[in-house]
Amino acid sequence: MEKENYQKETLYIHKGYSSINHHDSLAVPLYQTSTFAFETAEQGASRFAGEETGGIYSRLGNPTVKVLEERMAALEYGEGALAFGSGMAAVSAILVHLTKTGDHILCTRGIYGCTFGFLNILKQKYNISHDFSTLATEEEIEAAIKPNTVCIYIETPINPTMEMVDIGLITRVAKKHGIQVVVDNTFSSPYLQNPLELGANFVLHSATKYINGHGDVIAGILVGKKKEEIETIRMSVQKDYGGIISPFDAWLLIRGLKTMHVRMDRHTKNAADLFSFLQTCSMVENIYYPFDENNPQFEIAKKQMKAGGGLISFTVQGGMKNAQKLMNTLNLIKIAVSLGDAETLIQHPSTMTHSVVPEKERLEMGITDGLLRLSVGLENSTDLIEDLQQAFSNL
Ligand SMILES: *Cc1c(COP(=O)(O)O)cnc(C)c1O
């Protein structure tokens, strides 16, 4: 690659790799190795001293992983990226990096269940507190910020009710207070939303989802606005906590990324088709979809997302009984948590992903027993609609 300013779709395929340095291999080679052999004792010494670049040991860096990291940094408009063994390893690494005992983290009202679990570990073991807020207006954000707030942690759209927060508004207020903003961008993928462009300091992904896109890897990515800070995390929290990605999983993510834009366009189209269909179903009470023109939050969605994405939640009349019956009657659509795969998946948040959230809080978040979440896949949407249609007709 000679030019630096290629369009995104081109970067998904080429960024960070030149076949000249790899025996002319078109595909990025898989360096499945734990360590690297030095030619001499002196060479080893100078690599450890940082005087010479090159491999040392795969927990500190690996050529296959490096391609993935450079590609992800470019796709999220950051200066550097780190790949992890899971989305949660990325979440815990950035929160450990940004906080110390006595600090406070401000969060959006709904966050991923295990992120919630990690915040509780920080609170119980290290006295690092957190609060949740809707962060909907400047006044609300100002009121929620405490003197010891060091980080605002955002998810948008929020799982599973697709509530949105205005990333630009939050980063503007945070900057005034010198507070760093971290965005979990898993639901949108780098193709639909780029938080660093909206002023965030860090963006992270469960790469398990849309980045891999094929349902066969658990991985995480952290991208930072500043190269230096990412390198600090690499040689401290990542190296010493050790939550790195395996070269093989990095290789699969590189393969997945090549089709990211094509997949996201189809996920979005299929989800829009299903959204239209669900609007015609008499058994459906509410539908939650970011690009619903009748939702007042559509304005926020349009401002920060390129398209609506592949996730839709809806509530079925008749609560838990009908929700479970609908799931059990589906043939093509699979019952599974996770998202972003080629297969369309359906799950029941109140008994699955959000079963650990106390009922009162769950209901406040809009997660009723009749709520279902669809991760719309890449199948022909007519087949998906027919599958839903026959399941609804059995209720
Ligand atoms: C899945 C997910 C995570 C956790 O990622 P893992 O790869 O499962 O560790 C974090 N945030 C969101 C929004 C997710 O969907």
Side-chain angles (χ1 to χ4, degrees):
M1 275 188 77
E2 292 120 41
K3 231 171 89 176
E4 274 306 307
N5 57 341
Y6 285 110
Q7 302 291 320
K8 234 178 190 183
E9 291 81 355
T10 307
L11 297 177
Y12 285 134
I13 298 165
H14 293 282
K15 180 70 187 175
Y17 180 69
S18 168
S19 55
I20 294 166
N21 309 325
H22 300 274
H23 300 283
D24 307 320
S25 172
L26 174 71
V28 176
L30 167 56
Y31 287 92
Q32 186 72 17
T33 185
S34 53
T35 195
F36 298 83
F38 308 130
E39 276 181 38
T40 61
E42 288 77 10
Q43 186 185 52
S46 60
R47 286 201 185 168
F48 267 90
E51 294 156 7
E52 179 189 309
T53 56
I56 296 176
Y57 183 67
S58 275
R59 180 155 40 74
L60 314 182
N62 173 283
T64 308
V65 175
K66 188 162 183 271
V67 174
L68 170 67
E69 291 176 341
E70 283 191 20
R71 214 162 269 187
M72 279 305 307
L75 300 184
E76 281 288 14
Y77 303 99
E79 287 178 6
L82 298 168
F84 290 87
S86 71
M88 282 318 301
V91 171
S92 53
I94 187 59
L95 290 176
V96 165
H97 169 71
L98 290 175
T99 59
K100 61 178 188 325
T101 296
D103 285 344
H104 174 253
I105 303 167
L106 181 57
C107 305
T108 41
R109 208 159 61 105
I111 53 167
Y112 186 71
C114 299
T115 303
F116 182 71
F118 187 70
L119 287 170
N120 281 333
I121 293 177
L122 290 180
K123 185 161 85 184
Q124 285 154 17
K125 292 180 78 98
Y126 307 109
N127 188 30
I128 296 163
S129 59
H130 60 267
D131 279 308
F132 300 100
S133 163
T134 48
L135 304 173
T137 62
E138 181 155 357
E139 296 68 45
E140 227 178 273
I141 301 165
E142 289 282 1
I145 290 173
K146 295 182 173 182
N148 58 341
T149 304
V150 293
C151 163
I152 301 184
Y153 188 94
I154 301 175
E155 278 184 34
T156 178
I158 295 172
N159 180 25
T161 51
M162 308 297 156
E163 191 182 311
M164 268 158 290
V165 296
D166 187 332
I167 300 173
L169 170 69
I170 294 171
T171 58
R172 201 152 34 77
V173 179
K175 272 211 173 67
K176 279 198 275 178
H177 296 265
I179 294 168
Q180 304 236 51
V181 176
V182 179
V183 181
D184 180 337
N185 204 26
T186 303
F187 266 40
S188 301
S189 85
Y191 183 59
L192 299 182
Q193 180 170 277
N194 296 113
L196 298 188
E197 292 281 276
L198 301 167
N201 304 87
F202 292 95
V203 54
L204 63 87
H205 288 272
S206 166
T208 312
K209 319 291 168 53
Y210 286 115
I211 289 173
N212 176 51
H214 292 74
D216 46 18
V217 170
I218 301 272
I221 302 279
L222 173 70
V223 184
K225 196 127 191 156
K226 295 266 182 297
K227 175 95 182 159
E228 217 171 74
E229 200 165 359
I230 283 290
E231 291 312 313
T232 301
I233 302 171
R234 184 193 304 284
M235 295 315 283
S236 57
V237 179
Q238 191 186 42
K239 171 171 78 71
D240 299 339
Y241 278 65
I244 55 143
I245 193 170
S246 83
F248 181 56
D249 286 350
W251 186 82
L252 285 169
L253 294 188
I254 290 166
R255 184 188 170 111
L257 270 180
K258 288 187 187 185
T259 55
M260 165 117 231
H261 47 303
V262 183
R263 287 187 284 110
M264 290 315 295
D265 283 344
R266 179 59 73 92
H267 281 300
T268 298
K269 183 204 164 284
N270 278 356
D273 289 350
L274 261 61
F275 176 64
S276 304
F277 164 72
L278 289 169
Q279 285 178 308
T280 68
C281 297
S282 56
M283 291 300 284
V284 171
E285 282 167 339
N286 300 304
I287 314 175
Y288 306 98
Y289 179 59
F291 268 45
D292 173 359
E293 287 173 24
N294 296 317
N295 184 327
Q297 285 203 313
F298 182 48
E299 287 307 311
I300 301 176
K302 261 195 315 193
K303 215 165 55 169
Q304 60 196 27
M305 294 175 77
K306 181 184 154 99
L311 289 153
I312 303 180
S313 295
F314 61 95
T315 49
V316 199
Q317 267 177 37
M320 170 99 83
K321 188 173 142 284
N322 273 346
Q324 290 187 328
K325 190 168 174 200
L326 184 84
M327 293 169 93
N328 291 336
T329 328
L330 290 164
N331 296 317
L332 179 61
I333 298 172
K334 304 291 174 228
I335 305 171
V337 296
S338 198
L339 57 107
D341 298 335
E343 296 83 358
T344 297
L345 309 177
I346 194 163
Q347 67 112 348
H348 185 235
S350 78
T351 59
M352 295 178 183
T353 51
H354 291 70
S355 54
V356 293
V357 182
E359 189 179 5
K360 184 173 164 284
E361 288 163 42
R362 210 163 61 216
L363 292 175
E364 276 169 12
M365 289 161 73
I367 306 171
T368 59
D369 285 344
L371 185 76
L372 291 167
R373 188 193 74 191
L374 274 171
S375 167
V376 183
L378 304 176
E379 301 94 337
N380 184 304
S381 62
T382 309
D383 288 333
L384 296 171
I385 289 169
E386 276 175 21
D387 196 26
L388 282 165
Q389 224 157 14
Q390 63 81 21
F392 274 118
S393 70
N394 279 308
L395 290 186

